[in-house]
Amino acid sequence: MKKTQKILLIILILIFLSIGFMVRGKSEGILFDVSVLEFIQGNESPILFKLMKGISFIGSGYFLFPIILIVSIYILIKKEYYILKLLLGSTLGCYSLNFLLKQLFQRTRPLDFFLVEQSGLSYPSGHSMVTMSLYLTIAYLITKNQDDIKKRRYIYLLAFLMILLMGISRIYLGVHWPTDVLGGYIMGYVFYNINLKIMKE
């Protein structure tokens, strides 16, 4: 890992912790939370609601766990152990870390903004964190032997688009404060980089 990358990760972790301790044990929004929530939910419509609910479902454990299980069995049969380690790390490992972080910060979800029922704690957003880690891992695996720079860029662009939409869907549905999503993105990116470093090919 390059020195500049290490510095970036340290800065991101410090930002994450700063937000975390600002929201620890709280049930209200901070910084831009309320204004962003009100703005995004101001465009409410039945079609948009269904779309956001569908996007959110794709990032849930109900969808991801069966898919990862099937893919893992296939990869295991193919004996692609490096790919298997990366995928399991970016999902199960990231989910586990997210659970621990939520217990640490104990933030209440934005109950007054709920469009759907959601249990559990709020910071950081698990959907945002795991999606960031997983989609970047998939993009990395697809492009690591790809020489065409344009194709690499398109794949990463698609990954970031999916990551962005996931975060927006969680805010739109009112189940996360925007700072939860930001924290999820930060730790998902940090986890992705650490996972790559640890799971050497």
Side-chain angles (χ1 to χ4, degrees):
M1 192 180 290
K2 295 179 181 178
K3 186 178 179 180
T4 51
Q5 191 177 16
K6 287 181 180 178
I7 293 171
L8 173 62
L9 293 181
I10 290 169
I11 291 171
L12 288 174
I13 290 170
L14 290 174
I15 293 171
F16 173 82
L17 291 174
S18 297
I19 296 173
F21 286 110
M22 286 172 68
V23 303
R24 190 166 187 261
K26 292 187 177 179
S27 58
E28 67 273 4
I30 64 164
L31 303 173
F32 46 79
D33 276 335
V34 174
S35 57
V36 171
L37 260 167
E38 288 176 344
F39 174 77
I40 291 180
Q41 287 195 341
N43 300 306
E44 190 178 340
S45 75
I47 295 174
L48 194 56
F49 173 76
K50 288 182 179 179
L51 177 62
M52 291 296 152
K53 199 173 178 182
I55 292 170
S56 186
F57 176 73
I58 292 172
S60 71
Y62 296 108
F63 177 83
L64 286 179
F65 286 150
I67 296 295
I68 292 298
L69 178 60
I70 294 168
V71 171
S72 296
I73 292 171
Y74 174 76
I75 294 172
L76 198 57
I77 292 170
K78 298 285 286 184
K79 297 182 179 179
E80 297 282 357
Y81 301 121
Y82 173 64
I83 296 175
L84 181 63
K85 287 189 297 183
L86 276 185
L87 286 178
L88 290 180
S90 67
T91 51
L92 298 182
C94 199
Y95 268 119
S96 299
L97 177 60
N98 180 262
F99 174 80
L100 294 174
L101 290 171
K102 285 188 175 184
Q103 303 312 306
L104 172 63
F105 295 111
Q106 292 283 318
R107 189 186 196 186
T108 304
R109 292 181 184 273
L111 303 176
D112 293 338
F113 292 91
F114 271 19
L115 297 184
V116 295
E117 287 299 316
Q118 182 75 60
S119 59
L121 297 166
S122 205
Y123 184 85
S125 163
H127 280 64
S128 304
M129 186 170 163
V130 174
T131 301
M132 175 68 82
S133 174
L134 176 59
Y135 280 105
L136 284 183
T137 298
I138 292 172
Y140 166 77
L141 289 170
I142 292 173
T143 62
K144 71 187 186 84
N145 296 318
Q146 175 63 255
D147 295 325
D148 191 323
I149 295 175
K150 282 188 177 180
K151 286 183 179 178
R152 289 167 62 94
R153 285 176 179 170
Y154 285 138
I155 290 167
Y156 273 100
L157 183 62
L158 181 60
F160 277 113
L161 178 61
M162 289 300 297
I163 293 164
L164 179 63
L165 285 173
M166 186 59 65
I168 291 173
S169 76
R170 301 305 282 167
I171 297 170
Y172 179 88
L173 294 173
V175 295
H176 274 297
W177 301 102
T179 44
D180 297 335
V181 171
L182 177 59
Y185 283 160
I186 290 173
M187 281 312 296
Y189 181 76
V190 170
F191 188 90
Y192 158 74
N193 281 278
I194 293 173
N195 193 40
L196 276 188
K197 184 68 177 175
I198 293 173
M199 306 293 186
K200 292 181 180 179
E201 191 167 6

